[in-house]
Amino acid sequence: MLVLGIESSCDETAVSLFETGNPPKLLGEKLASQEKIHVEYGGVVPELAAREHMRNLPILVNGLCQELNIKLSDIDAIGVTRGPGLKGCLLMGVSFAEGFAVARNIPLIGVNHIEGHLNAVLLDNPELQYPFLGLIVSGGHTEIVYAESFGKYKILAQTSDDAAGEAFDKSANLLGFPYPGGATLAKLADTVSSSPYKLPKVMREASGFSFSGLKTAISLLINRTRNPEDSEEEAQKKTAELAYTIQDSIVDALVYKLKKAIKETGVTTVAVAGGVSANQCLRRRISAIRNIKSYFPDFKHSVDNGAMIGFIAAIRLARGEQSPLNGSVVSRWPIEELS
Ligand code: KG4
Ligand code: ZN
């Protein structure tokens, strides 16, 4: 069976096509990023994002079918992100998908975006097996989950304020980089190999994640360090070193909590997912943890993408699942509530 996957929970419109099987086979995928549209507002404008999804979805689906030489009538099922995410954005994807499902009389699967991120690691590493620990680090989520089997997840730690991606983006903004900025900060940080600046070690005692204290410390450090009298060269060097210290401290907090969870659970297989899993420093530091096996998605499947949604839909469809066509979306949907 051919399964179309649709993602529209935030500012990327993305589609994919899978053939069911064990595991499902990715035939193709397409993505339209809206970064250029939101950059002038310093963040995602939900209404603009929703409108773009509506415009992009038919273009991407038709383009993908043409590329793969497949007719719309060849599609046997459709999977779409039902949550979590921005309500207006989710509604665009779900309305499009439900319309398609009704018109073609095919089943629809409502997919959890976070389950998609987590299982994107399996999509790119078929040798990864349940159970494992998942570190999910994106623009909206920072969680460590115990993934017992497909669909059965327990949240062991989560953030009480910002997500790791937000910590990167807000720091990037303080350094003067346009939204989202996380990847730009990381790229600059990787141009130097040390820094004279220090940030406090945070989150050592608390059970979950919290980035608010670190955010304040980062803001103070930047204000203290920058000097309008600096030459351009000196200012550039300082910015790169500040980026290095900021990246190091965010990554350090994530790795500290992950190591703690490994120790507490005794689970030594780790999957790292979500936009921040594209971070090279995080990948290096987790890969260096001794006596564990760590897995990461391909870079294009770290950030939001259509393949992770089609993958879940194809698996759930093969399990005989199907969702009602009632237009519902869920802005908050912890993966613990799945089965
Ligand atoms: O998973 P994702 O694409 O969207 C959400 O579901 O939120 O994650 C986006 C987040 C943004 O905050 C972005 O700045 C961050 O992932 N990100 C990175 C890197 N690439 C993307 N953060 C640090 N280093 C990177 N290389
Ligand atoms: Zn995401």
Side-chain angles (χ1 to χ4, degrees), residues 113 117 138-140 165-166 168-169 180-183 186 274-276 278-279 302-304:
H113 181 86
H117 270 306
S138 72
E166 269 177 295
F168 267 103
D169 294 343
V276 181
N279 186 274
S302 277
V303 287
D304 287 351

Side-chain angles (χ1 to χ4, degrees), residues 7 9-12 84 113-114 117 136-141 163-170 172 179-187 190 247 250-251 273-282 299 301-305 308:
E7 156 62 27
S9 68
C10 192
D11 60 344
E12 320 274 10
H113 181 86
I114 301 301
H117 270 306
I136 304 161
V137 273
S138 72
H141 290 263
E166 269 177 295
F168 267 103
D169 294 343
K170 288 181 178 171
Y179 179 84
T184 314
L185 185 154
K187 207 167 153 202
D190 290 343
Q247 169 170 271
I250 298 173
V251 166
V276 181
S277 73
N279 186 274
Q280 301 273 14
C281 174
L282 181 69
F299 285 105
H301 296 148
S302 277
V303 287
D304 287 351
N305 64 88
M308 67 188 201

Side-chain angles (χ1 to χ4, degrees), residues 77-82 107-111 312-313 316-317 321-323:
I78 184 160
V80 62
T81 307
R82 211 187 267 297
L108 176 138
I109 315 280
V111 176
I312 300 291
R316 290 195 173 270
L317 188 77
E321 293 179 30
Q322 190 172 329
S323 304

Side-chain angles (χ1 to χ4, degrees), residues 96-117:
F96 178 87
E98 291 199 0
F100 194 97
V102 170
R104 306 229 61 87
N105 194 23
I106 56 173
L108 176 138
I109 315 280
V111 176
N112 181 295
H113 181 86
I114 301 301
E115 182 177 45
H117 270 306

Side-chain angles (χ1 to χ4, degrees), residues 68-131:
L68 297 171
N69 209 8
I70 278 167
K71 295 193 291 296
L72 288 180
S73 55
D74 293 333
I75 296 169
D76 301 298
I78 184 160
V80 62
T81 307
R82 211 187 267 297
L86 299 170
K87 199 169 175 194
C89 294
L90 293 165
L91 272 169
M92 287 304 151
V94 167
S95 309
F96 178 87
E98 291 199 0
F100 194 97
V102 170
R104 306 229 61 87
N105 194 23
I106 56 173
L108 176 138
I109 315 280
V111 176
N112 181 295
H113 181 86
I114 301 301
E115 182 177 45
H117 270 306
L118 186 63
N119 283 277
V121 190
L122 274 153
L123 168 65
D124 294 326
N125 301 275
E127 70 279 21
L128 168 62
Q129 297 212 342
Y130 286 100

